[in-house]
Amino acid sequence: MRILLCSSALVAASAFPVLSAEWEVGLSGFYHLGVGLSDGNNQSGLGVLRDGEVHFDGTLTADNGLRFFARVELEAQTDEDQIDKNFGGVETSLGTFKIGGDDTAIATYHNGVLGAPGGIMGYYDADFITTAADDMGAVAGGEQGVGFHYDTPEFMGFQAGISYIPSLSADEAGDTNEPVFEENDAFYSIAAAYNGEVRGIGLGLSGGYADENGPDNAVWNVGGYVSFAGVTVAGGYQDAGDDYTDSASAGQSFYVGAEYATGPWVVAGGYSNNDFNDTDVAAAWATYKWVPGVATTIGIEYGDDGADEDVGGVAYLSLNF
């Protein structure tokens, strides 16, 4: 009887991962600091730039290959959303399963947008230097509400993901450790992308869709890039419809950009347009990488939202640790 019980216990134990390894805890983050200058209908003068985050990571790999992980991102300045991304999960041969706050699939897999370090300078989906450019929304559907995320294994450059958030409003008034149940603002997203190389030419393609229960917040986008000999050309298109809740992302948008990288230098720029807000944004910048993790960027941005016209510039230092 004892032998039978011992054998049964061994069989049951073999169905679970053997966690002989120990957790590895990592600390990383970034800090951007610099100055800005703006001249336009909405604001003029000299400004100070500072933006940073601290990231806490924990990973553990079992003997059978399962990889467990957790990540918490803390804003370096006081913010209504003091904790940014926060999630945990497990990576298996069948894909990666995550629960928590992370970019949804339509934003995670989107190709087609170029930006300076930290997204401080850009023509789309970046921190805006001019207030007129603030009428140009980011990739719609990229909410970070508390939800479930799944990513397929990568296969020959192809990968896809899905996201499901039971209630977008559950994260608006502060995070909670209570279960988040489905409400009228449940949200889901699905997207896929290819990133690879064809005959020495870098190629990326993507497509995504997202929708929310209740409001008419259906959105889809496509994007891509081509790169060769240090030159990258990227572009994309988004259709969020005129009834999209976030007016900055409503309507149809297109964006195109290019960059040239040589040695420690990157020179880039691009243009975006949104027909719903009658907004045009153009930007150009140059980045010099001093050493790994340290770079200086100088850029200029122009924004016109139909009512106001602004121009601004920024010079900042990026520290990634």
mmCIF file of all heavy atoms in Angstrom, residues 78-111:
data_model
loop_
_atom_site.group_PDB
_atom_site.id
_atom_site.type_symbol
_atom_site.label_atom_id
_atom_site.label_comp_id
_atom_site.label_asym_id
_atom_site.label_seq_id
_atom_site.Cartn_x
_atom_site.Cartn_y
_atom_site.Cartn_z
ATOM 1 N N THR A 78 5.133 61.972 -10.177
ATOM 2 C CA THR A 78 3.775 61.784 -9.685
ATOM 3 C C THR A 78 2.802 61.791 -10.844
ATOM 4 O O THR A 78 2.835 62.682 -11.700
ATOM 5 C CB THR A 78 3.409 62.898 -8.693
ATOM 6 O OG1 THR A 78 4.361 62.897 -7.628
ATOM 7 C CG2 THR A 78 2.013 62.682 -8.132
ATOM 8 N N ASP A 79 1.934 60.789 -10.888
ATOM 9 C CA ASP A 79 1.038 60.616 -12.020
ATOM 10 C C ASP A 79 -0.236 59.950 -11.543
ATOM 11 O O ASP A 79 -0.221 59.186 -10.571
ATOM 12 C CB ASP A 79 1.721 59.760 -13.093
ATOM 13 C CG ASP A 79 0.984 59.783 -14.417
ATOM 14 O OD1 ASP A 79 -0.021 59.055 -14.538
ATOM 15 O OD2 ASP A 79 1.407 60.501 -15.329
ATOM 16 N N GLU A 80 -1.364 60.225 -12.236
ATOM 17 C CA GLU A 80 -2.609 59.558 -11.885
ATOM 18 C C GLU A 80 -2.487 58.050 -12.056
ATOM 19 O O GLU A 80 -3.082 57.274 -11.319
ATOM 20 C CB GLU A 80 -3.746 60.097 -12.763
ATOM 21 C CG GLU A 80 -4.094 61.542 -12.481
ATOM 22 C CD GLU A 80 -5.230 62.034 -13.362
ATOM 23 O OE1 GLU A 80 -5.712 61.236 -14.194
ATOM 24 O OE2 GLU A 80 -5.640 63.198 -13.211
ATOM 25 N N ASP A 81 -1.708 57.635 -13.058
ATOM 26 C CA ASP A 81 -1.444 56.216 -13.288
ATOM 27 C C ASP A 81 -0.018 55.932 -12.834
ATOM 28 O O ASP A 81 0.885 55.721 -13.636
ATOM 29 C CB ASP A 81 -1.619 55.892 -14.776
ATOM 30 C CG ASP A 81 -1.573 54.394 -15.033
ATOM 31 O OD1 ASP A 81 -1.699 53.631 -14.062
ATOM 32 O OD2 ASP A 81 -1.403 54.001 -16.195
ATOM 33 N N GLN A 82 0.203 55.957 -11.499
ATOM 34 C CA GLN A 82 1.551 55.871 -10.943
ATOM 35 C C GLN A 82 2.253 54.573 -11.332
ATOM 36 O O GLN A 82 3.450 54.551 -11.580
ATOM 37 C CB GLN A 82 1.500 55.982 -9.418
ATOM 38 C CG GLN A 82 2.856 56.234 -8.780
ATOM 39 C CD GLN A 82 3.425 57.597 -9.136
ATOM 40 O OE1 GLN A 82 2.797 58.616 -8.939
ATOM 41 N NE2 GLN A 82 4.636 57.609 -9.666
ATOM 42 N N ILE A 83 1.504 53.494 -11.353
ATOM 43 C CA ILE A 83 2.033 52.228 -11.828
ATOM 44 C C ILE A 83 1.621 52.063 -13.287
ATOM 45 O O ILE A 83 0.435 52.064 -13.601
ATOM 46 C CB ILE A 83 1.502 51.037 -11.001
ATOM 47 C CG1 ILE A 83 1.915 51.185 -9.544
ATOM 48 C CG2 ILE A 83 2.017 49.727 -11.580
ATOM 49 C CD1 ILE A 83 3.404 51.108 -9.291
ATOM 50 N N ASP A 84 2.586 51.929 -14.164
ATOM 51 C CA ASP A 84 2.301 51.786 -15.588
ATOM 52 C C ASP A 84 1.987 50.317 -15.869
ATOM 53 O O ASP A 84 1.099 49.744 -15.258
ATOM 54 C CB ASP A 84 3.497 52.286 -16.396
ATOM 55 C CG ASP A 84 3.174 52.513 -17.859
ATOM 56 O OD1 ASP A 84 1.997 52.426 -18.225
ATOM 57 O OD2 ASP A 84 4.106 52.767 -18.642
ATOM 58 N N LYS A 85 2.706 49.681 -16.757
ATOM 59 C CA LYS A 85 2.454 48.279 -17.044
ATOM 60 C C LYS A 85 2.727 47.423 -15.808
ATOM 61 O O LYS A 85 3.677 47.681 -15.065
ATOM 62 C CB LYS A 85 3.337 47.812 -18.197
ATOM 63 C CG LYS A 85 3.085 48.549 -19.494
ATOM 64 C CD LYS A 85 4.020 48.047 -20.586
ATOM 65 C CE LYS A 85 3.822 48.832 -21.866
ATOM 66 N NZ LYS A 85 4.751 48.383 -22.943
ATOM 67 N N ASN A 86 1.890 46.429 -15.594
ATOM 68 C CA ASN A 86 2.082 45.511 -14.467
ATOM 69 C C ASN A 86 1.400 44.197 -14.809
ATOM 70 O O ASN A 86 0.195 44.160 -14.993
ATOM 71 C CB ASN A 86 1.513 46.107 -13.173
ATOM 72 C CG ASN A 86 0.072 46.537 -13.303
ATOM 73 O OD1 ASN A 86 -0.843 45.780 -12.955
ATOM 74 N ND2 ASN A 86 -0.167 47.743 -13.810
ATOM 75 N N PHE A 87 2.182 43.141 -14.929
ATOM 76 C CA PHE A 87 1.620 41.865 -15.354
ATOM 77 C C PHE A 87 2.527 40.720 -14.932
ATOM 78 O O PHE A 87 3.680 40.917 -14.527
ATOM 79 C CB PHE A 87 1.431 41.837 -16.881
ATOM 80 C CG PHE A 87 2.684 42.122 -17.665
ATOM 81 C CD1 PHE A 87 3.623 41.136 -17.906
ATOM 82 C CD2 PHE A 87 2.916 43.386 -18.178
ATOM 83 C CE1 PHE A 87 4.772 41.396 -18.625
ATOM 84 C CE2 PHE A 87 4.065 43.665 -18.898
ATOM 85 C CZ PHE A 87 4.991 42.664 -19.127
ATOM 86 N N GLY A 88 1.997 39.523 -15.029
ATOM 87 C CA GLY A 88 2.757 38.316 -14.772
ATOM 88 C C GLY A 88 2.206 37.198 -15.628
ATOM 89 O O GLY A 88 1.121 37.320 -16.206
ATOM 90 N N GLY A 89 2.958 36.100 -15.724
ATOM 91 C CA GLY A 89 2.476 35.002 -16.552
ATOM 92 C C GLY A 89 3.492 33.904 -16.721
ATOM 93 O O GLY A 89 4.440 33.777 -15.941
ATOM 94 N N VAL A 90 3.274 33.106 -17.772
ATOM 95 C CA VAL A 90 4.142 31.968 -18.033
ATOM 96 C C VAL A 90 4.337 31.833 -19.544
ATOM 97 O O VAL A 90 3.404 32.022 -20.329
ATOM 98 C CB VAL A 90 3.542 30.669 -17.439
ATOM 99 C CG1 VAL A 90 2.144 30.407 -17.973
ATOM 100 C CG2 VAL A 90 4.466 29.484 -17.703
ATOM 101 N N GLU A 91 5.546 31.521 -19.939
ATOM 102 C CA GLU A 91 5.880 31.296 -21.341
ATOM 103 C C GLU A 91 6.078 29.804 -21.560
ATOM 104 O O GLU A 91 6.872 29.166 -20.860
ATOM 105 C CB GLU A 91 7.151 32.057 -21.711
ATOM 106 C CG GLU A 91 7.566 31.904 -23.164
ATOM 107 C CD GLU A 91 8.815 32.688 -23.497
ATOM 108 O OE1 GLU A 91 9.242 33.513 -22.665
ATOM 109 O OE2 GLU A 91 9.381 32.459 -24.580
ATOM 110 N N THR A 92 5.343 29.234 -22.518
ATOM 111 C CA THR A 92 5.394 27.803 -22.786
ATOM 112 C C THR A 92 5.652 27.582 -24.273
ATOM 113 O O THR A 92 5.715 28.516 -25.068
ATOM 114 C CB THR A 92 4.059 27.134 -22.401
ATOM 115 O OG1 THR A 92 3.072 27.442 -23.386
ATOM 116 C CG2 THR A 92 3.570 27.611 -21.041
ATOM 117 N N SER A 93 5.754 26.318 -24.663
ATOM 118 C CA SER A 93 5.925 25.985 -26.071
ATOM 119 C C SER A 93 4.673 26.299 -26.886
ATOM 120 O O SER A 93 4.715 26.363 -28.119
ATOM 121 C CB SER A 93 6.282 24.504 -26.223
ATOM 122 O OG SER A 93 5.251 23.681 -25.689
ATOM 123 N N LEU A 94 3.543 26.491 -26.218
ATOM 124 C CA LEU A 94 2.286 26.814 -26.881
ATOM 125 C C LEU A 94 2.034 28.322 -26.948
ATOM 126 O O LEU A 94 1.021 28.750 -27.495
ATOM 127 C CB LEU A 94 1.122 26.143 -26.153
ATOM 128 C CG LEU A 94 1.159 24.616 -26.102
ATOM 129 C CD1 LEU A 94 -0.021 24.093 -25.299
ATOM 130 C CD2 LEU A 94 1.161 24.023 -27.500
ATOM 131 N N GLY A 95 2.933 29.108 -26.398
ATOM 132 C CA GLY A 95 2.776 30.547 -26.410
ATOM 133 C C GLY A 95 2.958 31.147 -25.030
ATOM 134 O O GLY A 95 3.296 30.455 -24.060
ATOM 135 N N THR A 96 2.733 32.449 -24.934
ATOM 136 C CA THR A 96 2.904 33.178 -23.683
ATOM 137 C C THR A 96 1.551 33.655 -23.173
ATOM 138 O O THR A 96 0.773 34.271 -23.917
ATOM 139 C CB THR A 96 3.827 34.388 -23.880
ATOM 140 O OG1 THR A 96 5.100 33.938 -24.364
ATOM 141 C CG2 THR A 96 4.033 35.134 -22.575
ATOM 142 N N PHE A 97 1.264 33.372 -21.908
ATOM 143 C CA PHE A 97 0.005 33.735 -21.271
ATOM 144 C C PHE A 97 0.294 34.775 -20.190
ATOM 145 O O PHE A 97 1.118 34.533 -19.298
ATOM 146 C CB PHE A 97 -0.663 32.512 -20.652
ATOM 147 C CG PHE A 97 -0.942 31.405 -21.643
ATOM 148 C CD1 PHE A 97 0.055 30.496 -21.989
ATOM 149 C CD2 PHE A 97 -2.193 31.275 -22.229
ATOM 150 C CE1 PHE A 97 -0.196 29.472 -22.901
ATOM 151 C CE2 PHE A 97 -2.449 30.256 -23.139
ATOM 152 C CZ PHE A 97 -1.453 29.353 -23.474
ATOM 153 N N LYS A 98 -0.387 35.926 -20.262
ATOM 154 C CA LYS A 98 -0.164 37.004 -19.303
ATOM 155 C C LYS A 98 -1.497 37.483 -18.731
ATOM 156 O O LYS A 98 -2.509 37.500 -19.426
ATOM 157 C CB LYS A 98 0.528 38.194 -19.973
ATOM 158 C CG LYS A 98 1.947 37.953 -20.417
ATOM 159 C CD LYS A 98 2.565 39.227 -20.976
ATOM 160 C CE LYS A 98 1.930 39.634 -22.297
ATOM 161 N NZ LYS A 98 2.605 40.816 -22.884
ATOM 162 N N ILE A 99 -1.468 37.905 -17.485
ATOM 163 C CA ILE A 99 -2.606 38.562 -16.843
ATOM 164 C C ILE A 99 -2.087 39.834 -16.181
ATOM 165 O O ILE A 99 -1.059 39.813 -15.492
ATOM 166 C CB ILE A 99 -3.278 37.653 -15.801
ATOM 167 C CG1 ILE A 99 -4.010 36.503 -16.500
ATOM 168 C CG2 ILE A 99 -4.254 38.445 -14.938
ATOM 169 C CD1 ILE A 99 -4.709 35.547 -15.560
ATOM 170 N N GLY A 100 -2.803 40.944 -16.408
ATOM 171 C CA GLY A 100 -2.405 42.217 -15.823
ATOM 172 C C GLY A 100 -2.540 43.344 -16.818
ATOM 173 O O GLY A 100 -3.248 43.229 -17.822
ATOM 174 N N GLY A 101 -1.860 44.443 -16.547
ATOM 175 C CA GLY A 101 -1.922 45.618 -17.400
ATOM 176 C C GLY A 101 -0.753 45.675 -18.361
ATOM 177 O O GLY A 101 0.393 45.845 -17.948
ATOM 178 N N ASP A 102 -1.030 45.571 -19.651
ATOM 179 C CA ASP A 102 -0.003 45.631 -20.688
ATOM 180 C C ASP A 102 -0.646 46.195 -21.955
ATOM 181 O O ASP A 102 -1.873 46.228 -22.089
ATOM 182 C CB ASP A 102 0.579 44.242 -20.951
ATOM 183 C CG ASP A 102 1.877 44.309 -21.747
ATOM 184 O OD1 ASP A 102 2.434 45.416 -21.893
ATOM 185 O OD2 ASP A 102 2.346 43.258 -22.230
ATOM 186 N N ASP A 103 0.186 46.629 -22.908
ATOM 187 C CA ASP A 103 -0.347 47.082 -24.187
ATOM 188 C C ASP A 103 -1.175 45.969 -24.813
ATOM 189 O O ASP A 103 -0.788 44.794 -24.781
ATOM 190 C CB ASP A 103 0.787 47.455 -25.139
ATOM 191 C CG ASP A 103 1.524 48.702 -24.702
ATOM 192 O OD1 ASP A 103 0.923 49.545 -24.020
ATOM 193 O OD2 ASP A 103 2.713 48.837 -25.049
ATOM 194 N N THR A 104 -2.305 46.328 -25.408
ATOM 195 C CA THR A 104 -3.121 45.325 -26.077
ATOM 196 C C THR A 104 -2.499 44.960 -27.421
ATOM 197 O O THR A 104 -1.599 45.629 -27.925
ATOM 198 C CB THR A 104 -4.556 45.827 -26.280
ATOM 199 O OG1 THR A 104 -4.517 47.049 -27.025
ATOM 200 C CG2 THR A 104 -5.234 46.053 -24.948
ATOM 201 N N ALA A 105 -3.008 43.884 -28.014
ATOM 202 C CA ALA A 105 -2.384 43.298 -29.203
ATOM 203 C C ALA A 105 -2.277 44.282 -30.358
ATOM 204 O O ALA A 105 -1.278 44.300 -31.083
ATOM 205 C CB ALA A 105 -3.170 42.059 -29.638
ATOM 206 N N ILE A 106 -3.296 45.122 -30.565
ATOM 207 C CA ILE A 106 -3.291 46.013 -31.717
ATOM 208 C C ILE A 106 -2.142 47.009 -31.661
ATOM 209 O O ILE A 106 -1.645 47.467 -32.704
ATOM 210 C CB ILE A 106 -4.641 46.758 -31.831
ATOM 211 C CG1 ILE A 106 -4.774 47.414 -33.211
ATOM 212 C CG2 ILE A 106 -4.818 47.749 -30.705
ATOM 213 C CD1 ILE A 106 -6.139 48.022 -33.470
ATOM 214 N N ALA A 107 -1.683 47.358 -30.458
ATOM 215 C CA ALA A 107 -0.539 48.256 -30.312
ATOM 216 C C ALA A 107 0.769 47.482 -30.264
ATOM 217 O O ALA A 107 1.780 47.903 -30.833
ATOM 218 C CB ALA A 107 -0.690 49.100 -29.049
ATOM 219 N N THR A 108 0.771 46.326 -29.591
ATOM 220 C CA THR A 108 1.996 45.537 -29.446
ATOM 221 C C THR A 108 2.557 45.102 -30.788
ATOM 222 O O THR A 108 3.777 45.130 -31.013
ATOM 223 C CB THR A 108 1.724 44.302 -28.575
ATOM 224 O OG1 THR A 108 1.308 44.713 -27.276
ATOM 225 C CG2 THR A 108 2.966 43.430 -28.449
ATOM 226 N N TYR A 109 1.690 44.710 -31.719
ATOM 227 C CA TYR A 109 2.149 44.147 -32.981
ATOM 228 C C TYR A 109 2.185 45.159 -34.120
ATOM 229 O O TYR A 109 2.524 44.795 -35.253
ATOM 230 C CB TYR A 109 1.258 42.963 -33.369
ATOM 231 C CG TYR A 109 1.529 41.749 -32.528
ATOM 232 C CD1 TYR A 109 0.832 41.556 -31.332
ATOM 233 C CD2 TYR A 109 2.481 40.809 -32.892
ATOM 234 C CE1 TYR A 109 1.086 40.457 -30.530
ATOM 235 C CE2 TYR A 109 2.743 39.708 -32.109
ATOM 236 C CZ TYR A 109 2.044 39.533 -30.927
ATOM 237 O OH TYR A 109 2.312 38.436 -30.131
ATOM 238 N N HIS A 110 1.860 46.399 -33.851
ATOM 239 C CA HIS A 110 1.773 47.378 -34.928
ATOM 240 C C HIS A 110 3.150 47.798 -35.440
ATOM 241 O O HIS A 110 4.015 48.224 -34.675
ATOM 242 C CB HIS A 110 1.013 48.613 -34.464
ATOM 243 C CG HIS A 110 0.813 49.628 -35.549
ATOM 244 N ND1 HIS A 110 0.203 49.331 -36.737
ATOM 245 C CD2 HIS A 110 1.157 50.938 -35.630
ATOM 246 C CE1 HIS A 110 0.167 50.399 -37.504
ATOM 247 N NE2 HIS A 110 0.742 51.401 -36.851
ATOM 248 N N ASN A 111 3.368 47.673 -36.741
ATOM 249 C CA ASN A 111 4.550 48.193 -37.409
ATOM 250 C C ASN A 111 4.180 49.470 -38.159
ATOM 251 O O ASN A 111 3.014 49.700 -38.456
ATOM 252 C CB ASN A 111 5.097 47.173 -38.416
ATOM 253 C CG ASN A 111 5.769 45.993 -37.743
ATOM 254 O OD1 ASN A 111 6.454 46.148 -36.742
ATOM 255 N ND2 ASN A 111 5.555 44.807 -38.274
#
